[in-house]
């Protein structure tokens, strides 16, 4: 057992580890956002769960050492791939933290696949035995292809409905007027969450972490939205 863990650490929400889920439909830029976050010195005490190391380029982050299913970066971040399921991976992270195999992380970020169904992820994080809690879901939305994705793919609509924060990516590839016109499209599926416009994945830790449980909507624990009426009344016509 490590001797440098916070005194009085227990399973209460106050002392539990916040977990942030980063998701977004295929090609929406969530991996680029994650790469930017991994560069931030403020995130040295972060554990990141990703699907495959190959999906996130770590070469520029100078891997210090590998620990079984995890790598420890020189900036202090821990990256690990999903082993079995997310619950198993979280259990393994906490076991290694307690044994001293991994540094004492204070937050967890989970990057899902582009086709992820978020409802099981949310339920998994409510069922874990570990001292952690779901802090927020951040969803990347592609400014170029969002209309077609929302029109054609239920996964994209469900992801957006679950978002605590929306990162509107690739805004450098559309005009300001086109970006303005996309926001009402987003609001048709998520009326409350802040929208941040992102270029080249440039975000701050505050854009993604520390969203807080006070904004937790009741719909997180009900089934994700089913078929949503899609059409011109939601501004989802052909891509501009």
């Amino acid at each position: 057992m490590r001797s440098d863990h916070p005194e009085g650490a227990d399973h209460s929400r106050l002392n539990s580890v916040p977990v942030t889920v980063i998701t977004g439909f295929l090609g929406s830029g969530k991996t680029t956002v994650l790469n930017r976050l991994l560069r931030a010195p403020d995130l040295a005490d972060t554990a990141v769960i990703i699907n495959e190391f190959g999906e996130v380029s770590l070469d520029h982050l100078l891997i210090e050492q590998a620990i079984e299913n995890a790598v420890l970066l020189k900036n202090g971040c821990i990256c690990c791939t999903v082993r079995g399921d997310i619950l198993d991976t979280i259990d393994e992270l906490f076991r290694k933290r307690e044994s001293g195999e991994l540094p004492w992380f204070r937050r967890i970020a989970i990057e899902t696949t582009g086709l992820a169904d978020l409802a099981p992820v949310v339920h998994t994080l409510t069922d874990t035995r570990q001292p952690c809690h779901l802090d927020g879901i951040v969803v990347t939305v592609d400014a170029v292809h969002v209309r077609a994705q929302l029109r054609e793919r239920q996964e994209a609509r469900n992801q957006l409905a679950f978002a605590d924060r929306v990162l509107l990516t690739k805004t450098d590839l559309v005009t300001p007027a086109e970006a303005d016109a996309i926001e009402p499209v987003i609001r048709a599926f998520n009326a409350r969450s802040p929208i941040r416009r992102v270029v080249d994945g440039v975000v701050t830790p505050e854009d993604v972490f520390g969203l807080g449980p006070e904004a937790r909507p009741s719909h997180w624990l009900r089934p994700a939205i089913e078929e949503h009426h899609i059409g011109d009344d939601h501004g989802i016509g052909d891509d501009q």
Side-chain angles (χ1 to χ4, degrees):
M1 178 79 69
R2 289 177 62 95
S3 61
D4 61 343
H5 63 78
E7 292 187 6
D10 56 34
H11 287 213
S12 71
R13 190 177 192 89
L14 180 63
N15 294 305
S16 70
V17 174
V19 180
T20 299
V21 177
I22 302 172
T23 191
F25 198 69
L26 297 168
S28 62
K30 61 184 178 298
T31 299
T32 302
V33 166
L34 182 58
N35 264 286
R36 290 285 186 173
L37 288 171
L38 288 175
R39 297 173 185 262
D42 293 346
L43 300 184
D45 51 3
T46 301
V48 181
I49 299 173
I50 57 180
N51 295 296
E52 296 291 343
F53 285 131
E55 295 181 10
V56 178
S57 175
L58 299 175
D59 293 343
H60 63 285
L61 297 172
L62 301 176
I63 297 174
E64 184 174 272
Q65 65 185 90
I67 308 171
E68 290 187 36
N69 202 41
V71 293
L72 178 63
L73 307 183
K74 281 195 175 293
N75 68 353
C77 287
I78 304 158
C79 281
C80 68
T81 56
V82 175
R83 173 172 292 179
D85 59 27
I86 289 176
L87 208 57
D88 291 339
T89 305
I90 290 174
D91 285 345
E92 185 178 24
L93 276 174
F94 276 94
R95 180 185 64 76
K96 289 183 176 180
R97 186 178 83 157
E98 292 291 334
S99 69
E101 294 177 73
L102 290 176
W104 194 268
F105 54 85
R106 299 178 186 276
R107 70 178 66 80
I108 297 173
I110 300 174
E111 185 203 10
T112 74
T113 67
L115 297 175
D117 179 357
L118 291 181
V121 177
V122 171
H123 283 285
T124 291
L125 293 172
T126 62
D127 290 340
T128 179
R129 300 166 297 176
Q130 302 300 337
C132 62
H133 64 274
L134 183 58
D135 186 65
I137 292 180
V138 177
V139 176
T140 54
V141 173
D142 184 334
V144 177
H145 301 295
V146 59
R147 293 175 184 273
Q149 291 169 351
L150 290 174
R151 184 176 61 247
E152 299 168 6
R153 301 303 297 256
Q154 185 68 33
E155 299 96 334
R157 300 193 287 272
N158 287 349
Q159 289 170 357
L160 188 52
F162 270 95
D164 273 316
R165 176 154 295 163
V166 177
L167 301 180
L168 183 59
T169 63
K170 305 182 183 179
T171 52
D172 55 320
L173 302 180
V174 298
T175 68
E178 289 171 334
D180 290 341
I182 291 169
E183 294 204 6
V185 174
I186 292 172
R187 290 294 177 219
F189 298 90
N190 187 317
R192 58 179 178 78
S193 298
I195 300 172
R196 301 282 188 271
R197 297 187 185 186
V198 177
V199 176
D200 196 26
V202 178
V203 296
T204 67
E206 291 74 23
D207 289 328
V208 176
F209 299 107
L211 302 185
E214 66 278 358
R216 189 65 53 245
S218 59
H219 79 259
W220 276 43
L221 295 179
R222 69 166 171 76
I225 59 171
E226 296 301 328
E227 288 304 319
H228 202 311
H229 179 64
I230 307 298
D232 291 339
D233 56 328
H234 285 163
I236 307 178
D238 294 334
D239 287 348
Q240 297 179 357

